Amino acid sequence: MNLKLVPVRAENKDTLINLYQFYEYDFSRYMDTDVDTNGKYALDIDFYWEGDERWNPFLIEVNGAIAGFLIVLFENMDTDPDPTHVIYDFMVLHKYRRTGVGRRAAVEAFNMYQANWSLAQIKNNLPAISFWRNVIEDYTDGNFTERYSPDSGNYIQKFSTKK
């Protein structure tokens, strides 16, 4: 399997917007969101390309086919010279789930940046919590921390890829 993370440029944002519809659909069970009167989830991702270099959207491609996307956010880059990196959004199409694509895409993202990482999942998204715990446990050989934040309702894992 040939997996690549392909940066999404502004001229290709429609592809990412289309994929976000699937992401919002999947996530609607946890966030209680609804579609608009046109049958779509309301989205605005233009800020990814409006000069704010904190946002780094990627398509996940497998053998040349789109398999999902992930967004890497350099959190607090405007105030911190060494920003924490976050996988802000992450989605793998159903066809590619449980095939190793998500794990490989996450590892590819971690390997792209030498940074401190923080990943969060909402408490009732048990599949995401399990996925990220397993990926991070394997990737770090158990060298990570996890805590539950009652304020945000998120589980948060932290680790570093710095050498």
Side-chain angles (χ1 to χ4, degrees), residues 5 36 43 63 67 69 100 102 110 114 118 132 142 156 162-163:
L5 297 184
D36 64 18
L43 298 169
N63 299 329
F69 70 89
F110 299 152
Q114 290 188 15
S118 179
W132 287 112
I156 302 166
K162 292 182 176 183
K163 295 184 179 179

Side-chain angles (χ1 to χ4, degrees), residues 33-73:
T33 54
D34 291 308
V35 295
D36 64 18
T37 57
N38 293 315
K40 291 184 174 183
Y41 291 96
L43 298 169
D44 179 13
I45 61 171
D46 286 339
F47 61 93
Y48 289 170
W49 299 279
E50 291 177 345
D52 187 345
E53 295 179 13
R54 296 177 305 155
W55 298 99
N56 300 276
F58 295 91
L59 295 178
I60 302 167
E61 286 189 1
V62 173
N63 299 329
I66 296 171
F69 70 89
L70 65 86
I71 311 298
V72 177
L73 167 64

Side-chain angles (χ1 to χ4, degrees), residues 8-150:
V8 181
R9 307 284 178 231
E11 58 269 15
N12 302 108
K13 72 179 179 182
D14 287 345
T15 301
L16 186 58
I17 288 170
N18 292 339
L19 289 169
Y20 256 110
Q21 291 296 315
F22 298 115
Y23 175 81
E24 292 294 325
Y25 169 78
D26 281 351
F27 223 67
S28 67
R29 72 175 64 155
Y30 307 113
M31 301 301 290
D32 193 32
T33 54
D34 291 308
V35 295
D36 64 18
T37 57
N38 293 315
K40 291 184 174 183
Y41 291 96
L43 298 169
D44 179 13
I45 61 171
D46 286 339
F47 61 93
Y48 289 170
W49 299 279
E50 291 177 345
D52 187 345
E53 295 179 13
R54 296 177 305 155
W55 298 99
N56 300 276
F58 295 91
L59 295 178
I60 302 167
E61 286 189 1
V62 173
N63 299 329
I66 296 171
F69 70 89
L70 65 86
I71 311 298
V72 177
L73 167 64
F74 303 161
E75 194 171 64
N76 299 323
M77 188 173 110
D78 50 343
T79 59
D80 187 348
D82 185 20
T84 298
H85 288 42
V86 174
I87 294 186
Y88 185 78
D89 286 332
F90 182 86
M91 192 274 297
V92 175
L93 293 169
H94 282 273
K95 172 183 175 179
Y96 297 98
R97 292 183 187 173
R98 301 199 176 280
T99 66
V101 166
R103 177 178 296 272
R104 287 192 53 201
V107 167
E108 188 77 19
F110 299 152
N111 288 341
M112 289 173 74
Y113 305 100
Q114 290 188 15
N116 294 317
W117 288 86
S118 179
L119 281 81
Q121 309 85 47
I122 58 175
K123 69 179 178 184
N124 55 350
N125 190 345
L126 300 179
I129 294 166
S130 176
F131 171 80
W132 287 112
R133 278 180 181 156
N134 288 328
V135 169
I136 295 167
E137 170 78 30
D138 288 349
Y139 184 80
T140 66
D141 289 327
N143 189 18
F144 73 101
T145 61
E146 180 179 282
R147 70 178 177 85
Y148 176 72
S149 171

